[in-house]
DNA sequence: ACCTGAACACCGTTCAAGT
DNA sequence: ACCTGAACACCGTTCAAGT
């Protein structure tokens, strides 16, 4: 019964991580309030420091868990269908879900804005998130041959930045329909591929 | 000598606005520190409240001045050349300049992230900025006939969101070359028009 | 007209102390 | 092992007071 990891004692840590993630997606790293966070978990502010030595370490742990979960989600999407065009089509849904969850932003987009004020340990995790997404997009672009091999990296970065920008703009109007319209605009302009191979006339239902 | 607006007394107000703008582009509305701001202007924190009744009013005044200045810049660009394709080509330079200025973000992108915590008076000015940019882009797209008349609004919004996203991603790596690469990626994908009419082979210098 | 010091409640953080 | 109250310096804000 001694020295067991992941037991009852770890629940508080996990609860803090989950609550901190939701708070940071709404208010950012700077807006993350330790006392309010502790309140939501049912402990006192000072107790947070038993689980995390500093706000910087908490922020880094939240951001790391965030990109780890995101990487797992993307891999699951790819594992389900093995259809890279389908994956590229569904990719914007990942960012849509944050908006659906009380108009929240991607944690790492918020932290990208706050970059100057971020502790170094947090900065590293924010960049890892973008790296994971760009690598996955690049793989999908290559597998679906929508761009030539040498261009998949550049296109992947452009798609990532554009989708993050769409989420940011939609948040500032609390308007998910705007997000959908922006993504459609990317498809119409050719930044994002379409599922069917670019038929000039869409058919009946339009 | 009485009741004259824009005299010596207004200098403090202007100095506060200028300093607050630079600070907010680096740290956001939440990260705007009244005492530090006053320090930069050479007065005490309490004196800020003589010129602005609250932080919310200061934030709104800063954001309003920001989009007013930006609108004037865009109109000047259009007035100089009267070439809509040239204007669309130069548009990303507007966002590039913020990055050149100590890796700063567009004030309204930062505030878009902070949207949930923004006072209503500030929210309104943040939206006005996006409105101004989308309207200008829409006008340029229509004038240059790069998209059909009905699509210029959608394309304008997509371009704005994508450029803002590129700036956000570049900031998170303090990398202006990445910003340029993202913009080039938008051009290669067809989101942004190119100056010369899409020649398949670029020629000698590449 | 413009600025200030002192005070308020609130923040991140520490630490000695509880169980 | 896990949590707490009290304290620290710092925040936005107010206000009576200075010139």
């Amino acid at each position: 019964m001694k020295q067991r990891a992941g037991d009852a004692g770890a629940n508080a840590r996990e609860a803090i991580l989950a609550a901190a993630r939701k708070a940071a997606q709404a208010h950012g790293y700077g807006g993350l309030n330790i006392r309010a966070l502790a309140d939501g978990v049912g402990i006192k502010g000072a107790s947070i420091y038993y689980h995390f030595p500093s706000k910087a370490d908490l922020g880094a742990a939240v951001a790391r868990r965030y990109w780890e979960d995101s990487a797992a989600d993307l891999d699951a999407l790819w594992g389900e269908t093995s259809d890279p065009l389908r994956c590229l089509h569904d990719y914007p849904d990942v960012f849509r879900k944050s908006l659906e969850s009380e108009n929240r932003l991607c944690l790492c987009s918020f932290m990208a804005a706050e970059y100057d004020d971020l502790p170094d340990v947090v900065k590293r995790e924010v960049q890892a998130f973008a790296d994971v997404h760009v690598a996955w997009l690049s793989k999908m672009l290559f597998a679906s041959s929508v761009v030539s091999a040498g261009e998949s990296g550049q296109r992947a970065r452009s798609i990532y930045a554009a989708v993050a920008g769409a989420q940011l703009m939609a948040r500032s109007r609390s308007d998910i329909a705007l997000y959908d319209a922006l993504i459609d605009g990317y498809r119409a302009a050719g930044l994002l591929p379409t599922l069917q191979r670019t038929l000039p006339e869409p058919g009946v239902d339009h």
Side-chain angles (χ1 to χ4, degrees), chain A:
Chain A
M1 285 298 182
K2 288 178 191 172
Q3 307 277 59
R4 285 267 301 287
D7 249 349
N11 287 342
R13 193 174 195 278
E14 288 301 314
I16 292 167
L17 277 176
R21 171 185 157 159
K22 295 193 86 177
Q25 281 186 258
H27 312 295
Y29 176 79
L32 211 169
N33 182 322
I34 298 287
R35 281 191 175 91
L37 176 65
D39 228 53
V41 179
I43 56 179
K44 298 294 172 184
S47 304
I48 299 288
Y49 291 83
Y50 174 75
H51 299 281
F52 300 94
S54 69
K55 188 181 178 182
D57 289 286
L58 171 60
V62 169
R64 171 182 286 263
R65 179 68 62 88
Y66 192 74
W67 72 252
E68 285 175 348
D69 288 352
S70 190
D73 288 348
L74 292 178
D75 284 346
L77 184 58
W78 173 231
E80 277 170 28
T81 69
S82 296
D83 177 354
L85 260 188
R86 173 101 248 154
C87 284
L88 287 169
H89 179 269
D90 291 349
Y91 178 71
D93 284 350
V94 174
F95 285 75
R96 194 182 199 277
K97 285 202 183 90
S98 294
L99 293 172
E100 289 166 9
S101 174
E102 296 171 83
N103 199 34
R104 270 184 253 267
L105 195 66
C106 168
L107 175 68
C108 294
S109 289
F110 213 138
M111 289 183 164
E114 294 176 297
Y115 203 70
D116 275 11
D117 299 326
L118 248 35
D120 284 344
V121 279
V122 183
K123 279 181 178 166
R124 279 192 282 275
E125 306 301 335
V126 171
Q127 293 188 341
F129 180 87
D131 289 339
V132 161
H133 277 245
V134 169
W136 185 88
L137 283 166
S138 189
K139 191 165 78 174
M140 296 304 123
L141 288 165
F142 181 77
S144 59
S145 329
V146 296
V147 293
S148 64
E151 289 171 334
S152 69
Q154 180 186 38
R155 177 65 73 89
R157 278 188 290 274
S158 291
I159 290 175
Y160 173 76
V163 171
Q167 192 197 37
L168 184 67
M169 185 180 184
R171 169 166 159 90
S172 79
R173 307 196 107 97
S174 307
D175 187 352
I176 294 192
L178 173 58
Y179 178 75
D180 293 336
L182 290 167
I183 299 300
D184 283 346
Y186 293 155
R187 292 199 179 108
L191 178 65
L192 281 171
T194 45
L195 270 183
Q196 66 280 23
R197 297 199 168 270
T198 51
L199 302 168
E201 295 304 310
V204 182
D205 57 322
H206 192 231

